[in-house]
């Protein structure tokens, strides 16, 4: 896949930023007794709210057996709760537990991190622009198809 110099710069900058955030993510995951992947799943549930197990699995892109095992782990860690649907007793819902909400809202580790120091050291205008760009990237993540090996969209 051929990329122009600007695209290459964006991708390199992204990888460097992710590397800055990895120690922070590991500390957060350890602090709440889950893996990084599980922490991502907790954050996803916080974003989408109470949902059926199958919808949660679809949102995460995992099969039914995997979502069951994932929710088992998160429930044992006290981060999520299962509930029967009041509309359809065959449906099991999953929702964030109080500890899961605390894990998502945990900012102590973030505020003490190198990442926060670097971000908060930016000029206010740069912080606003960076926030806008990151929000745009995150908001469109599921709508954007990956680039294939020939440089086009599949």
């Amino acid at each position: 896949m051929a990329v122009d110099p600007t695209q290459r710069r964006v991708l390199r900058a992204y990888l460097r930023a992710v590397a800055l955030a990895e120690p922070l993510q590991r500390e957060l995951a350890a602090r709440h007794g889950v893996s990084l992947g599980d922490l991502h799943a907790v954050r996803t549930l916080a974003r989408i709210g109470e949902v059926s197990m199958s919808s949660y699995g679809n949102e995460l892109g995992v099969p039914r057996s995997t979502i069951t095992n994932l929710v088992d782990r998160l429930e044992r860690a006290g981060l999520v709760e299962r509930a029967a649907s009041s509309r359809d007793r065959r449906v099991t819902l999953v929702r964030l537990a109080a500890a899961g909400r605390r894990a998502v809202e945990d900012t102590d580790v973030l505020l003490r991190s190198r990442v926060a120091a670097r971000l908060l050291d930016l000029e206010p205008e740069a912080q606003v622009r960076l926030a806008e760009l990151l929000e745009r990237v995150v908001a469109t993540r599921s709508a954007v198809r990956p680039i294939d090996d020939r440089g086009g969209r599949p």
Side-chain angles (χ1 to χ4, degrees), residues 45 50-54 71 75 81-88 90-95:
L45 186 58
E50 183 178 75
V51 66
S52 71
M53 294 277 287
S54 60
V71 171
E75 191 173 38
E81 302 169 339
R82 284 184 170 99
S85 169
S86 61
R87 293 188 189 139
D88 185 344
R90 297 170 296 172
V91 174
T92 299
L93 302 174
V94 61
R95 63 180 167 232

Side-chain angles (χ1 to χ4, degrees), residues 1-3 7 11 144-154:
M1 171 173 72
V3 293
Q7 292 170 324
L11 295 173
V144 176
R145 293 177 299 166
I147 296 174
D148 67 20
D149 291 338
R150 296 177 310 274
R153 304 274 178 201

Side-chain angles (χ1 to χ4, degrees), residues 2-137:
V3 293
D4 67 42
T6 300
Q7 292 170 324
R8 185 173 288 112
R9 180 180 176 199
V10 166
L11 295 173
R12 271 197 314 257
Y14 168 77
L15 290 175
R16 288 193 314 266
V18 167
L20 275 177
E22 282 178 15
L24 169 66
Q25 294 291 342
R26 279 194 300 275
E27 186 176 346
L28 280 169
R31 185 174 178 157
H32 297 285
V34 295
S35 71
L36 282 175
D38 289 354
L39 186 60
H40 167 72
V42 170
R43 288 183 177 141
T44 299
L45 186 58
R47 179 176 50 80
I48 63 175
E50 183 178 75
V51 66
S52 71
M53 294 277 287
S54 60
S55 294
Y56 190 33
N58 289 340
E59 182 70 23
L60 293 170
V62 298
R64 186 181 316 244
S65 61
T66 301
I67 196 63
T68 299
N69 291 330
L70 170 67
V71 171
D72 286 346
R73 280 193 314 275
L74 297 177
E75 191 173 38
R76 278 192 304 272
L79 300 172
V80 304
E81 302 169 339
R82 284 184 170 99
S85 169
S86 61
R87 293 188 189 139
D88 185 344
R89 295 186 56 94
R90 297 170 296 172
V91 174
T92 299
L93 302 174
V94 61
R95 63 180 167 232
L96 214 53
R101 175 71 50 208
R102 286 191 301 274
V104 169
E105 295 172 352
D106 187 351
T107 58
D108 293 344
V109 175
L110 174 61
L111 291 174
R112 291 184 279 113
S113 71
R114 290 182 338 171
V115 173
R118 291 180 181 189
L119 293 173
L120 299 178
D121 195 40
L122 294 171
E123 302 81 23
E125 299 81 17
Q127 290 179 22
V128 168
R129 183 68 180 136
L130 178 60
E132 289 169 348
L133 290 170
L134 292 172
E135 288 164 353
R136 191 167 133 199
V137 168

